[in-house]
Amino acid sequence: MCVDDSVTIRQLVEKTLSQAGYEATGIAHPLKALSLIFQLHPDLIFCDLNMPELNGYDFCAMLRHTPQFRHTPIIILTSHSGLSERL
């Protein structure tokens, strides 16, 4: 699953994963993504840090507080290159 408000990023992630043989779903709205994640149980989540409604930090924190997604890999997507974003 790719949660990113950028249509370009979502399409790129979906296309790349699909070409590699994976099923990929992209969604722009993090609050809607939370309910979809519970339905689809993705094996991997790509998440933007800067999104409307809910930022990536809070989005990830919500998932980490849920037992079934505590260990699901989350890859953060961001254009920021600062040390705090990398940490």
Side-chain angles (χ1 to χ4, degrees), residues 42-46 64 69 71-75:
D43 295 319
L44 173 66
I45 300 167
F46 290 90
R64 291 297 182 234
F69 298 109
H71 301 292
T72 301
I74 299 173
I75 296 175

Side-chain angles (χ1 to χ4, degrees), residues 4 17 29 36 40 48-49 57-58 62 64-65 71 75 85:
D4 197 309
L17 291 175
H29 305 285
L36 191 58
L40 299 177
D48 185 16
L49 281 184
Y57 296 113
D58 293 334
M62 291 173 136
R64 291 297 182 234
H65 284 88
H71 301 292
I75 296 175
E85 284 83 7

Side-chain angles (χ1 to χ4, degrees), residues 6-27:
S6 167
V7 93
T8 304
I9 298 298
R10 285 194 321 272
Q11 288 174 345
L12 178 64
V13 170
E14 288 176 345
K15 181 180 177 183
T16 302
L17 291 175
S18 294
Q19 288 176 342
Y22 297 98
E23 183 178 334
T25 302
I27 188 162

